Amino acid sequence: DHKESYAAWLQYKKIDDAALLKEYQTWTENIVSLSDSIVIESAQNELSKALSSMLDIHPEVSSGLKPKNRIVLATMKEFNLLDNEIDIDFKQINEDGYMIKSVSTKGNKTIYLLGKRDAGVLYATFHLLRLMQNRESLKDVNIIESPKNQLRMINQWDNMDGSIERGYAGKSIFYKDHSFSEDFNRIQDYARLLSSVGINAIAINNVNVHEVETHLITASFLPKAAEVASIFRAYGIKTFLSINYASAIQLGDLETADPLDSKVKEWWKNKAKEIYRFIPDFGGFLVKADSEHRPGPFTYNRNHADGANMLAEALEPFNGLVIWRCFVYNCLQDWRDRSTDRARAAYDHFKPLDGKFHENVILQIKNGPMDFQVREAVSPLFGAMPQTNQMMEFQITQEYTGQQKHLCYLVPQWKEVLDFDTFANGESSPVKHVVDGSMFPYRYSGIAAVSNIGNDYNWSGHTLAQANLYGFGRLTWNPDLQAETITNEWIGQTFGQDELVNEHVSHMLLKSWEIYEQYTSPLGVGWMVNPGRHYGPNVDGYEYSVWGTYHFADRDGIGVDRTIKTGTGYTEQYFRENTKMYDSLETCPDELLLFFHHVPYKHKLKSGVTVIQHIYNTHFEGVQEAEELKERWAALKGRINSERYEDILNRLEEQVEHSKEWRDTINTYFYRKSGIADEQKRKIY
Ligand code: GCW
């Protein structure tokens, strides 16, 4: 019985405080639903499920306003029915927004869950349940919420053979043996988790679209895809598919996939029509083209605007979107070639195309210019294309951050990225205002992330990695939320109201990214992992390979010179203020020093220690802190149900052992390269 592990943050544990139970029971005696839709039905079902489990009551749902002590669900359309009861102004919220108001008069308590549309009512419902799970009073609730981002999206990197690219939590919940999974309940539970944190879009297959997956947009799979889409639809989530750019050749028997060829255009137009016959509210295509050996417009000497626009035209009549990834770089670089810099690639390819994309194209840009490293600079493309819709791509799955064996809570990292000032529109032009569409008049924008879930009984391998999925949704809803707030919300819902649990888990989560950074690759240089698998230390693993991911360590120093005068000139891709900051050794922040500069080991950091001493210190300290993580957790024994306790303890033990492997490999490597001893004379091999 994996009940707690599986329920994640939707535990709906029985309220044991008698007074609070009584209070909650009174507020929720009746459910009045003025609205009627499949999404509203999901809200009602969630309420029934949660109330019976938390309060042991089974309120009936009625559609008349009569009963007292009630929860009222309504959208703007039913507004007039509430005229005599409360004053509400729907102008205060946006399309996906909602209001929660509790009103108590003599002998009648009402909680209003109001959305402009039905999705808002569902979000309001989940919010109410969050309040109850966190034991908040329902008196005088007056909440007005609108998501800051329009698209709040999840990307599944699931393959139809059931494997998941960069998945660390079992197999796919969507596919098995080259067809769709039969377990739609699991998909529905996933939809519940996602919509509870405001996710409204999902691409259900890997961006690397292989042989079988290419056929997802054909009649052999569309009926099943439509069934999956209908599960998500009931939770306000639109379904997208990743497509193979060369589909016209592979499926259509055409000789070319040239985006300017009229037969190709025609083929996609018909294809779009066909897809929309099966899925009338289909979201659109997610496209990885000319990237890591995937086909794309370059084959035909066309650029990415030509490629994206051709698809955009096909989807336009149906309001479909093309989400076009900017992860385009030369993955066959010669390591001897010192002039090519992978970090430059996305900007060099896309910036010149600003203004050339159709309105229903969005460029999806990874947070950093390399690839989801534990620390890297923010992509300079954000804000650099005022006339082209942009959205963010984060990675929840922990490819380079410990693969859900190590604890690495990514909300603090994502917040740093979103708060990064691009200076695109003068001072105070943070990335979050690019991707929320408020800085430039983007028609579409938002945030996407690669999911971290699979069919493991706890969804995420490491049970604490559930917090990353939760945190992603909450932060995408509102990037201004504090990391601490999100963390506490999650802990309360997941583990209940135990102060010590809250204190320890919150501390563990909030420190974990920094700890992971300490014992892995230093000062923003990245990589140093085993090639292919990307797990575990291997300092030179990528040093003499084709991937463009080098650290250039020699006996004198380390780092990538990306400056204007002596380096690759990457720093120039930023707006002036940031170019200046990164280009100069004096002002470049320590944590990114080796991302931007090649320096001698004895170079003094702003922190006062030398680079080499910093490497030693952080690696010794990182292991100690990993040990402290484990001890903090061990102190919670008996306060958490044993399955989750043991699961997490095991992972933390593994993390400690593996962090030593990292420490000793990195320290030894740099000691041998530099010949400089640790000032504190700790053990280096
Ligand atoms: O980081 C790399 C991963 C690939 C991934 C690629 C991408 C889906 O190692 O597994 O492929 O990024 O984002 O396209």
Side-chain angles (χ1 to χ4, degrees), residues 219-472:
S220 17
F221 290 122
L222 279 169
K224 282 281 175 199
E227 282 182 56
V228 169
S230 65
I231 296 174
F232 283 115
R233 181 181 305 118
Y235 287 88
I237 300 168
K238 270 198 181 181
T239 299
F240 290 66
L241 290 169
S242 300
I243 55 122
N244 177 342
Y245 194 79
S247 294
I249 300 174
Q250 246 140 298
L251 302 173
D253 288 334
L254 298 189
E255 262 153 32
T256 174
D258 181 349
L260 300 192
D261 184 292
S262 59
K263 282 206 270 332
V264 174
K265 290 184 178 191
E266 203 44 40
W267 188 85
W268 278 106
K269 283 189 176 147
N270 288 326
K271 186 45 79 183
K273 267 186 220 146
E274 184 187 356
I275 297 171
Y276 280 89
R277 270 204 300 278
F278 286 93
I279 311 173
D281 59 349
F282 180 62
F285 298 142
L286 174 59
V287 194
K288 172 173 179 175
D290 290 316
S291 166
E292 300 184 328
H293 312 294
R294 306 314 302 157
F298 284 167
T299 310
Y300 312 98
N301 283 321
R302 311 297 184 197
N303 66 33
H304 280 230
D306 299 327
N309 290 341
M310 181 271 290
L311 296 171
E313 268 169 43
L315 294 176
E316 237 225 294
F318 311 96
N319 292 318
L321 304 178
V322 174
I323 301 182
W324 190 271
R325 299 177 81 231
C326 293
F327 188 57
V328 179
Y329 68 98
N330 176 9
C331 65
L332 291 172
Q333 192 178 327
D334 185 338
W335 60 268
R336 302 164 194 85
D337 164 16
R338 294 294 293 261
S339 65
T340 304
D341 180 3
R342 170 165 163 182
R344 293 187 57 116
Y347 186 101
D348 285 343
H349 282 300
F350 286 93
K351 162 83 182 164
L353 300 177
D354 188 25
K356 302 233 155 74
F357 292 89
H358 281 208
E359 259 205 326
N360 58 332
V361 177
I362 315 174
L363 298 184
Q364 183 167 301
I365 306 163
K366 288 191 184 186
N367 60 271
M370 295 300 280
D371 194 8
F372 301 134
Q373 298 303 291
V374 62
R375 169 87 64 179
E376 61 179 289
V378 172
S379 170
L381 207 45
F382 289 110
M385 300 180 72
Q387 302 177 74
T388 306
N389 301 322
Q390 293 192 332
M391 67 189 283
M392 168 67 73
E393 178 176 327
F394 285 130
Q395 195 184 43
I396 310 173
T397 194
Q398 292 171 236
E399 177 177 1
Y400 295 96
T401 50
Q403 305 199 348
Q404 279 131 265
K405 291 187 160 68
H406 294 236
L407 180 63
C408 191
Y409 181 52
L410 292 163
V411 168
Q413 187 201 57
W414 298 331
K415 269 196 81 74
E416 266 191 34
V417 173
L418 292 167
D419 287 340
F420 177 74
D421 196 346
T422 65
F423 290 91
N425 208 2
E427 208 176 318
S428 293
S429 303
V431 168
K432 63 186 171 191
H433 293 166
V434 177
V435 299
D436 73 8
S438 65
M439 194 180 311
F440 304 117
Y442 291 164
R443 169 105 184 261
Y444 301 102
S445 59
I447 307 184
V450 184
S451 180
N452 65 346
I453 69 104
N455 71 354
D456 273 5
Y457 58 85
N458 66 355
W459 299 94
S460 51
H462 201 312
T463 304
L464 291 178
Q466 292 175 351
N468 279 329
L469 184 61
Y470 182 87
F472 169 73

Side-chain angles (χ1 to χ4, degrees), residues 22 59 95 121 163 175 199 219 237 244 293 298 342 371 377 407 409 432 500 517 557 561 582 587 632 642:
K22 186 92 220 312
E95 279 306 286
V121 178
S163 66
Y175 314 103
I199 298 298
I237 300 168
N244 177 342
H293 312 294
F298 284 167
R342 170 165 163 182
D371 194 8
L407 180 63
Y409 181 52
K432 63 186 171 191
L500 195 73
E517 179 179 24
D561 186 351
Y582 289 136
T587 52
R632 269 188 186 272
S642 61

Side-chain angles (χ1 to χ4, degrees), residues 551-559 598-601 670:
H551 54 69
F552 302 118
D554 59 21
R555 65 177 186 176
D556 300 317
I558 176 178
H598 185 93
V599 298
Y601 291 113
F670 286 103

